[in-house]
Amino acid sequence: MQRVKLFIPLIIFAVLAVVFFLVERRVQTGDYSPTALPSALLDRPLPEFSLTTLKGEPIRKDQLLGDVFLLNVWATWCPTCHYEHPFLVELAQRGVNIVGVDYKDGKPAAIKWLEDKGDPYTLTIFDPEGTLGLDLGVTGAPETYLVDAQGVVRFRYQGALDAKVWESEFAQLYNQYQSKGAVQ
Amino acid sequence: MAMSVWAPALWAVIETYDFDTELQRKRYHHYVEELRCPKCQNQNLSGSDSAIAQDLRRQLHRMIMDGKSDTEITQYMVDRYGEFILYRPRFQAATAALWLAPVAMLAIGVLVWWRMAAKNRRARNAPPELDAAQRRQLNELLDGDDSQGASSGRGEP
């Protein structure tokens, strides 16, 4: 018994080493990201807002509902958004409904960005003060929310949305909520 | 290199807010210390220069000036950023382990210490009885020591 007691620190060390190693491996394979926080909005309705679009028309939450859509938070000052943009254009061409939120940005720069790079958004909400971003619990751009036909947030992804992320995280959920919305 | 490390700390809080009362100022400073920046993982709002931290400070100032209660402010933050934003998370099923672990560890420590102390006390109060073989051995040792002391011739006139 006394012998076993001597080895307790070594056993604790070994157990911790294994745990840390496994977590680190999940980080490296991309299974787990310590910076990705669960959204507080998950399975809750999209917050109400009253803003204007980039074109200057007033826009409210009710006008967005009726179909599944992606809410993509972006800005011209965000380098990752630059990387993400071509895939959003491709998604829009495939018929995915994407609503943009131009987050803490300047209007002329944002309009030029969409003219130059193509506009994947059915409409873009202009959020210069970041008030909608705050209500969404945005931590930075880009972030993409999957919102169902009833306006309930079903998924949030932080970071660039590319083909790989779409396939692994979004595609199934998107199809699932789209078919659900069609039945009702 | 040193510049780049220290620079963010120097910029940290650039905006200044006006308050009507000392209490409002105190509450603001309490909250910017206690709320965590959602973007930077391990900085509070007062120490972060990220865009979201600026927005949250502005919102916090607005809510305090509007006379919102502490409960309302905390709930507002948690509704948007989850328990993560509180450096002192509220006691819930999900945070129970976090709150109770130190108490549990202390209890284990006290238990171990108490058992060891009791064992020591028992050992000291009751000197071990020697059995016949040990007694014989002891006598032999004592005798042997005696004869050795004598044969060394130390102290002989």
Side-chain angles (χ1 to χ4, degrees):
Chain A
M1 186 58 201
Q2 214 59 30
R3 271 283 157 103
V4 178
K5 265 188 191 168
L6 279 178
F7 286 98
I8 286 178
L10 184 69
I11 293 166
I12 293 175
F13 170 80
V15 169
L16 285 179
V18 169
V19 168
F20 291 156
F21 176 78
L22 290 179
V23 170
E24 181 57 28
R25 221 176 57 166
R26 289 186 62 207
V27 169
Q28 273 171 2
T29 54
D31 275 353
Y32 168 74
S33 165
T35 54
L37 302 171
S39 170
L41 268 188
L42 215 61
D43 294 328
R44 284 166 52 183
L46 199 68
E48 302 283 342
F49 61 91
S50 177
L51 291 162
T52 64
T53 64
L54 264 188
K55 291 185 181 129
E57 295 146 358
I59 177 87
R60 299 162 59 86
K61 173 186 149 183
D62 308 341
Q63 292 164 258
L64 301 178
L65 308 186
D67 198 5
V68 181
F69 64 96
L70 298 184
L71 192 71
N72 176 250
V73 181
W74 63 280
T76 55
W77 47 258
C78 147
T80 317
C81 302
H82 181 86
Y83 161 80
E84 176 185 65
H85 200 84
F87 183 71
L88 294 181
V89 174
E90 193 192 316
L91 269 185
Q93 280 165 358
R94 282 197 234 161
V96 175
N97 185 6
I98 311 174
V99 173
V101 177
D102 186 25
Y103 175 64
K104 299 188 75 161
D105 208 355
K107 202 177 245 184
I111 290 172
K112 187 169 183 309
W113 162 291
L114 293 181
E115 276 171 4
D116 291 351
K117 299 156 78 72
D119 186 351
Y121 306 113
T122 43
L123 62 92
T124 302
I125 303 161
F126 184 52
D127 186 21
E129 298 285 306
T131 49
L132 174 58
L134 202 66
D135 284 344
L136 286 170
V138 163
T139 61
E143 281 191 17
T144 308
Y145 295 76
L146 177 67
V147 185
D148 73 9
Q150 284 72 45
V152 177
V153 175
R154 294 303 182 179
F155 184 65
R156 189 264 296 263
Y157 186 79
Q158 295 173 302
L161 175 57
D162 55 19
K164 200 176 147 214
V165 171
W166 176 259
E167 282 309 319
S168 62
E169 311 278 343
F170 278 92
Q172 201 194 347
L173 280 175
Y174 183 83
N175 293 333
Q176 179 191 332
Y177 284 107
Q178 201 174 35
S179 54
K180 232 186 232 176
V183 169
Q184 283 169 349
Chain B
M1 183 57 200
M3 274 301 289
S4 64
V5 169
W6 287 108
L10 295 177
W11 306 334
V13 177
I14 40 173
E15 73 273 344
T16 50
Y17 287 117
D18 292 325
F19 298 94
D20 293 337
T21 68
E22 185 63 13
L23 178 67
Q24 288 169 342
R25 200 184 61 76
K26 272 197 179 142
R27 287 179 67 205
Y28 175 83
H29 285 287
H30 170 77
Y31 265 112
V32 293
E33 294 299 325
E34 283 288 314
L35 293 177
R36 189 196 307 217
C37 164
K39 178 74 183 167
C40 14
Q41 301 279 313
N42 236 340
Q43 271 181 306
N44 54 19
L45 285 187
S46 76
S48 169
D49 196 38
S50 73
I52 194 67
Q54 288 171 14
D55 285 0
L56 284 175
R57 286 197 294 265
R58 193 184 58 217
Q59 183 63 27
L60 184 63
H61 175 252
R62 202 177 290 161
M63 291 181 87
I64 286 173
M65 296 312 278
D66 286 350
K68 296 273 197 264
S69 72
D70 284 2
T71 323
E72 282 173 306
I73 294 174
T74 305
Q75 194 57 46
Y76 176 93
M77 297 295 172
V78 171
D79 279 347
R80 281 154 187 78
Y81 292 98
E83 290 290 320
F84 174 86
I85 199 166
L86 305 177
Y87 262 124
R88 238 179 275 243
R90 298 174 297 187
F91 188 86
Q92 286 173 339
T95 56
L98 206 60
W99 280 109
L100 296 181
V103 182
M105 302 241 192
L106 187 69
I108 291 172
V110 167
L111 198 74
V112 168
W113 173 80
W114 181 72
R115 281 194 55 180
M116 283 172 71
K119 211 168 154 191
N120 274 348
R121 212 179 313 123
R122 233 178 299 127
R124 227 178 304 123
N125 289 352
E129 292 288 328
L130 299 180
D131 61 24
Q134 283 171 326
R135 207 171 281 281
R136 212 179 312 121
Q137 209 180 347
L138 177 66
N139 284 335
E140 270 168 29
L141 279 171
L142 287 174
D143 289 348
D145 208 31
D146 229 23
S147 59
Q148 256 176 20
S151 64
S152 72
R154 194 155 45 87
E156 285 288 306

